Amino acid sequence: MVYFVGAGCGAADLITVRGMRLLEKADVMIYAGSLVNPQLLEYAKEGCQIHNSAFMTLDEVIQVMKEAEKEKKLIVRLHTGDQSVYGAVREQMDALDELGISYESCPGVSACFGAAASLNLEYTLPEISQSLIITRMAGKTGVPEKESIESFAAHQATMAIYLSTGMLGELSERLIAGGYRKDTPAAMIYKATWPEEEAYICTVEQLEQTAKEHGITKTALVLVGDVIAHQHYQKSRLYAPDFSTEFRQAKE
């Protein structure tokens, strides 16, 4: 049996309880060594076979799973953040389907939620934004044309932009071309929730400059939107005294 486990966004204690228990039971663990906090390996029991997928191809990962499955071993594939976001997980699952190997998923905390916690942000402030767009710039892996930065920027919603730290000048230009004001609040969070985390508030226009000033070249998440300033929003109707719910009647 293979368990795809989200390691969380950085801090070792942000893995789920279920994920931690799977790590403790694993006979074989394959972890994304380039991004997963190595402290999580301390949950592994004595004798657990540990493989770093940073040095492996997809075929090599599947081969380890195949051999472990023959020996009825419990296998954990440990991905950074939540594996459903830029986790390259579907191709592994398809390969396991072809081999007739069962698998399950255990979710994790993605970087955008770790970043929100670090900055004490709410992404969905009434009358400011009620949507969060998770996206990335095109790099070695392309992005469908219909999902361009400009088309998403036109919505003026909150955006969390992954895997784009090396293209911040172009990112700013495209965000502005799409409709964001130059002075739209933005944030850059390097290694959210890790001990070495750095977080900076700036504007869309200042993203590249901010990164240069602080020497940030990778492993950073970019947030964009007026929610970052948390001003001029409306309070939630859920807790308004004149609002009735299933559990509370409106007060006169």
Side-chain angles (χ1 to χ4, degrees):
M1 183 73 170
V2 177
Y3 291 91
F4 291 92
V5 176
C9 48
D13 59 354
L14 281 179
I15 192 169
T16 64
V17 174
R18 181 184 297 179
M20 177 189 71
R21 288 174 177 164
L22 287 169
L23 292 184
E24 292 173 339
K25 295 176 182 178
D27 300 305
V28 176
M29 186 191 309
I30 308 168
Y31 76 105
S34 59
L35 292 170
V36 166
N37 190 330
Q39 291 182 18
L40 290 169
L41 304 183
E42 296 174 9
Y43 288 122
K45 66 185 180 183
E46 186 175 350
C48 177
Q49 299 174 25
I50 299 176
H51 302 265
N52 184 347
S53 64
F55 301 100
M56 303 168 72
T57 64
L58 173 62
D59 288 344
E60 289 170 340
V61 168
I62 299 302
Q63 185 61 32
V64 169
M65 294 177 176
K66 182 179 177 180
E67 291 175 0
E69 176 68 13
K70 286 180 180 178
E71 298 176 9
K72 306 296 183 183
K73 292 181 176 180
L74 191 154
I75 307 146
V76 167
R77 176 65 167 111
L78 187 62
H79 281 266
T80 184
D82 182 276
Q83 64 273 20
S84 68
V85 180
Y86 308 122
V89 69
R90 184 68 254 169
E91 60 201 43
Q92 298 172 71
M93 293 176 175
D94 287 345
L96 294 177
D97 285 339
E98 292 178 5
L99 294 169
I101 297 175
S102 299
Y103 54 86
E104 291 182 8
S105 292
C106 175
V109 178
S110 190
C112 66
F113 302 115
S118 294
L119 296 175
N120 291 314
L121 289 181
E122 180 179 348
Y123 286 134
T124 52
L125 291 176
E127 302 302 321
I128 302 296
S129 176
Q130 289 291 288
S131 301
L132 171 63
I133 297 171
I134 297 175
T135 191
R136 60 184 289 275
M137 293 273 282
K140 291 182 179 180
T141 301
V143 173
E145 186 175 344
K146 63 184 178 181
E147 296 180 11
S148 70
I149 293 293
E150 292 88 343
S151 67
F152 286 145
H155 294 286
Q156 301 291 292
T158 310
M159 289 180 68
I161 305 165
Y162 286 65
L163 305 170
S164 303
T165 314
M167 300 174 279
L168 292 175
E170 180 186 351
L171 175 61
S172 290
E173 292 175 0
R174 296 180 65 181
L175 287 168
I176 293 167
Y180 282 111
R181 307 180 316 277
K182 291 182 179 181
D183 64 351
T184 300
M188 184 179 307
I189 304 89
Y190 169 77
K191 299 195 78 170
T193 78
W194 289 72
E196 58 267 42
E197 171 190 286
E198 297 179 37
Y200 304 101
I201 305 296
C202 58
T203 67
V204 167
E205 188 178 35
Q206 296 168 338
L207 282 168
E208 184 175 36
Q209 174 188 341
T210 301
K212 287 180 178 179
E213 287 175 355
H214 298 283
I216 296 174
T217 59
K218 61 180 181 178
T219 326
L221 180 76
V222 173
L223 305 177
V224 176
D226 286 323
V227 298
I228 295 168
H230 46 81
Q231 296 175 346
H232 311 301
Y233 66 93
Q234 298 296 314
K235 292 182 179 178
S236 168
R237 292 293 299 150
L238 179 61
Y239 300 106
D242 61 344
F243 187 79
S244 294
T245 73
E246 180 183 354
F247 306 99
R248 188 188 74 244
Q249 289 298 313
K251 299 179 180 180
E252 298 293 337

